[in-house]
Amino acid sequence: MPINKKIRELHEKRERVLKGGGDKAIEKQKALGKRTARERILSLLDHDSFSEYDMFAEHEARDFDMQGKSLPSDGVIIGTGTISNAPVAIFAQDFTVAGGSLGLMHSRKITKIMDHALKMRIPLIGINDSGGARIQEGVNSLAGYGEIFFRNTLSSGVIPQLSIILGPCAGGAVYSPALTDFVFVVENISKMFITGPEVIRTVLGEEISMEDLGGAMVHSAITGNAHFYARSEDECFDQIKQLVTFIPWNNQNKARRFDPAEPLAEYNIDEIVPDDPTLPYDVKDVIKAVTDSSEFFEVQEFWARNMVIGFGRINGDTVGFVANQPMEMAGVLDVDSSDKAARFIRYCDAFNIPIITFVDLPGYLPGVDQEHAGVIRHGAKILYSYSEATVPKITVILRKAYGGGYIAMGSRHLRADFVFAWPGAEIAVMGPEGAANIIFRREIAEAEDPEAMRRQKVEEYKTKFANPYVAAQKGYVDSVIEPYETRKILVHAISVSGNKSVSMPSKKHGIPPF
Ligand code: HXC
């Protein structure tokens, strides 16, 4: 066959494959506000950077109606490309082909690109849009999922793994995203659940819509499974492009340095925290008052809002922020906020990102609900992750640091490298009111005017303990600083920590309170 004929044959083959599941299925996809799998990849990657592999893959299933049935690319597109000129590996499930269901070849394509990402030490991005295990392929589909989960685990902490949920992600399929670092969801499009409405109706006799069961906001605000929420696919891709500017491409590297920039003047750090310790404020304003261009890229914005986590830059370097949020439940630590902070600390530690902690909390949340929900086990995660983290750890106590909260929030005792406190910091076993009621109970009860005595004892306790100077005398706090000095001191602390080197006892791995 002359070469130009062969080339024509290739073009025809390509064209057939590029039609995916056909016009009708594509129309249905578009009507739902969804792009096709290839369109998604092209929208996310740099222009003209995508290189596709295994376009002509075919399944070998024989059962049911599968013999001879062609499923273009077997319902998943894989390849490599670049984002902001840096390489990434990517797969996108094609719902127009057998509902993006996962059979053996489909899973082999995914695991091929996963192996490639790990070998080349480049990030892996997975776009999930699938009806789950391909029913006709039986146990081969389940085997495929197992192979994916295994690789997610091997790659964890070595390369960034991002999961984008752009359609259904049902049954065991949800566990691959759950094993990755960050999950992105889109309003009205993302649906994640183990057992769908059909099963719930059959087994439990309850009616629930897919949206209420596992829609984008459910996973952003209630379950904590999702890290980023967007209103459209475009917004979601913009979030990914932004995230990748903050993180390194693998665990051997640091994040890219940017040109330093000053915070915006509108964030005046001296005026954010009210003098009255009972009044709330938005800790994100404090973060924006110290970051370059006042930029803060928040992670899990809608879940466990009493804890704020996310990325920013200080003098051009990426840092991770962990901060109590006084605007939400006074910033207490509870089951969910402990989980949220602990996982993020481990992310930063795995990927060489210094951690800055802003402390202002009255301690762990008391109550039967929290105790029975396992606040001991969950609360321990934050202790574990701070203690284990060897990246530079810098802590600033803005106001309250009471009890277990003081220890947990990146204290010197969990090996913070630098601990600073603002002059209004109150570092004590518990709040002055509670403390005075307990240790001066008899004096208060026996006083002529118990209320006046109580107030006097609260003041006594405050003067003696609820300040930063007792901790500063002991060296638990390195320096008491004025708020306006914070950015300068953070810049300095990060610059002297660039070559931090500590070694941990040799072990296979620890046993964190998962
Ligand atoms: C084979 C599937 C499929 C599947 C969908 N399709 N899911 N084919 N295996 N799992 C096919 C449909 O037959 C249909 O083919 C096409 O994809 C589009 O599906 P529709 O149902 O028309 O789409 P829609 O109405 O949008 O509904 C989407 C859906 C629904 C909600 C995802 O398809 C659905 O409930 N699918 C089954 C989900 C499920 O129970 N999966 C198994 C989970 S168990 P045609 O040819 O008609 O276009 C599991 C175990 C994994 O995943 C465990 C790992 C540890």
Side-chain angles (χ1 to χ4, degrees):
M1 214 192 297
I3 187 75
N4 55 356
K5 209 162 168 203
K6 289 191 173 185
I7 290 173
R8 211 161 39 243
E9 185 185 37
L10 170 65
H11 286 181
E12 283 162 14
K13 277 181 181 293
R14 274 189 188 156
E15 262 165 45
R16 268 200 302 277
V17 169
L18 289 175
K19 284 199 168 82
D23 294 343
K24 236 170 109 187
I26 292 173
E27 243 171 65
K28 192 173 158 192
Q29 177 91 346
K30 300 262 166 149
L32 295 169
K34 294 161 71 177
R35 291 192 172 93
T36 65
R38 283 191 186 81
E39 284 170 354
R40 285 168 169 167
I41 291 176
L42 297 180
S43 309
L44 179 58
L45 300 187
D46 293 339
H47 178 66
D48 217 12
S49 75
F50 181 54
S51 191
E52 181 174 342
Y53 314 121
D54 292 353
M55 186 184 219
F56 302 123
E58 291 281 354
H59 68 83
E60 290 170 8
R62 296 285 170 267
D63 293 325
F64 301 102
D65 59 345
M66 293 295 280
Q67 182 139 18
K69 183 173 182 176
S70 175
L71 300 179
S73 304
D74 209 40
V76 63
I77 319 304
I78 65 166
T80 46
T82 62
I83 295 182
S84 303
N85 294 321
V88 296
I90 191 162
F91 71 84
Q93 294 179 305
D94 183 352
F95 194 85
T96 70
V97 176
S101 57
L102 183 139
L104 185 65
M105 179 51 73
H106 182 117
S107 70
R108 282 203 181 143
K109 287 183 67 174
I110 293 178
T111 53
K112 182 178 192 174
I113 205 68
M114 292 178 85
D115 288 341
H116 187 79
L118 183 58
K119 190 165 59 184
M120 302 304 174
R121 296 292 193 268
I122 58 177
L124 175 78
I125 300 175
I127 301 181
N128 296 261
D129 186 3
S130 164
R134 187 173 296 153
I135 295 161
Q136 300 90 327
E137 294 201 35
V139 71
N140 272 333
S141 303
L142 302 183
Y145 277 118
E147 293 291 332
I148 293 170
F149 303 160
F150 176 76
R151 283 167 176 81
N152 283 137
T153 308
L154 278 195
S155 294
S156 180
V158 183
I159 51 170
Q161 299 184 85
L162 314 183
S163 295
I164 316 172
I165 314 298
L166 292 183
C169 182
V174 297
Y175 284 113
S176 174
L179 288 165
T180 62
D181 305 335
F182 296 111
V183 175
F184 294 76
V185 291
V186 177
E187 191 173 81
N188 295 326
I189 291 178
S190 312
K191 311 274 185 279
M192 282 178 97
F193 40 76
I194 298 276
T195 51
E198 198 76 37
V199 177
I200 292 179
R201 191 180 313 115
T202 314
V203 178
L204 303 171
E206 289 170 17
E207 290 288 339
I208 186 155
S209 69
M210 261 205 268
E211 189 64 34
D212 290 343
L213 180 63
M217 199 32 105
V218 167
H219 288 300
S220 301
I222 301 175
T223 68
N225 287 328
H227 301 86
F228 297 98
Y229 175 90
R231 275 161 211 86
S232 65
E233 294 196 4
D234 278 335
E235 193 189 344
C236 173
F237 295 158
D238 284 344
Q239 289 171 341
I240 291 165
K241 288 173 196 168
Q242 212 182 334
L243 173 67
V244 299
T245 67
F246 286 104
I247 60 178
W249 248 224
N250 59 48
N251 67 342
Q252 302 298 313
N253 287 307
K254 288 190 177 179
R256 205 175 117 205
R257 266 205 111 232
F258 279 68
D259 289 337
E262 286 300 308
L264 305 181
E266 68 192 83
Y267 295 100
N268 182 351
I269 199 162
D270 289 317
E271 288 176 2
I272 298 169
V273 178
D275 288 337
D276 179 348
T278 62
L279 292 181
Y281 61 92
D282 188 351
V283 78
K284 289 183 219 171
D285 289 343
V286 181
I287 294 173
K288 290 176 189 167
V290 299
T291 55
D292 292 9
S293 309
S294 296
E295 217 189 326
F296 177 52
F297 190 61
E298 190 172 358
V299 177
Q300 289 179 311
E301 180 184 352
F302 301 104
W303 182 62
R305 301 179 78 147
N306 41 328
M307 179 69 75
V308 172
I309 58 172
F311 300 105
R313 284 186 200 93
I314 298 230
N315 212 32
D317 288 316
T318 292
V319 295
F321 284 96
V322 178
N324 309 116
Q325 173 58 290
M327 289 223 305
E328 199 75 30
M329 298 159 72
V332 284
L333 274 177
D334 59 0
V335 166
D336 286 347
S337 60
S338 299
D339 280 13
K340 180 175 174 179
R343 191 171 183 278
F344 185 68
I345 292 162
R346 293 196 103 196
Y347 181 84
C348 292
D349 189 43
F351 288 102
N352 314 311
I353 297 172
I355 298 163
I356 295 178
T357 304
F358 285 157
V359 186
D360 187 352
L361 83 166
Y364 280 92
L365 179 63
V368 178
D369 286 355
Q370 281 293 305
E371 297 291 347
H372 288 190
V375 71
I376 297 175
R377 180 165 52 89
H378 291 278
K381 294 180 196 179
I382 195 165
L383 305 173
Y384 195 104
S385 52
Y386 267 120
S387 300
E388 155 190 78
T390 58
V391 288
K393 296 183 280 194
I394 305 157
T395 298
V396 185
I397 302 172
L398 308 181
R399 199 167 62 173
K400 297 177 202 133
Y402 295 157
Y406 158 71
I407 308 170
M409 289 302 293
S411 66
R412 161 66 23 84
H413 322 293
L414 307 186
R415 299 296 177 271
D417 299 297
F418 302 95
V419 181
F420 304 108
W422 285 5
E426 300 177 9
I427 305 169
V429 173
M430 61 197 295
E433 306 280 335
N437 280 342
I438 293 170
I439 59 176
F440 302 117
R441 189 176 351 174
R442 194 168 318 132
E443 287 95 321
I444 294 171
E446 289 169 1
E448 247 171 57
D449 181 348
E451 187 44 37
M453 177 62 87
R454 202 183 64 77
R455 276 200 304 273
Q456 181 195 323
K457 290 298 180 190
V458 167
E459 277 315 306
E460 238 175 73
Y461 184 87
K462 266 193 198 164
T463 316
K464 195 153 177 54
F465 287 123
N467 61 61
Y469 299 104
V470 183
Q473 275 166 21
K474 304 274 182 270
Y476 302 151
V477 162
D478 297 309
S479 186
V480 180
I481 60 168
E482 290 187 52
Y484 84 88
E485 295 175 294
T486 308
R487 177 173 155 95
K488 192 172 150 218
I489 274 175
L490 291 175
V491 170
H492 178 78
I494 291 161
S495 74
V496 299
S497 312
N499 295 320
K500 180 181 174 185
S501 169
V502 291
S503 52
M504 303 292 269
S506 127
K507 55 178 148 180
K508 187 172 171 191
H509 55 67
I511 300 130
F514 275 172

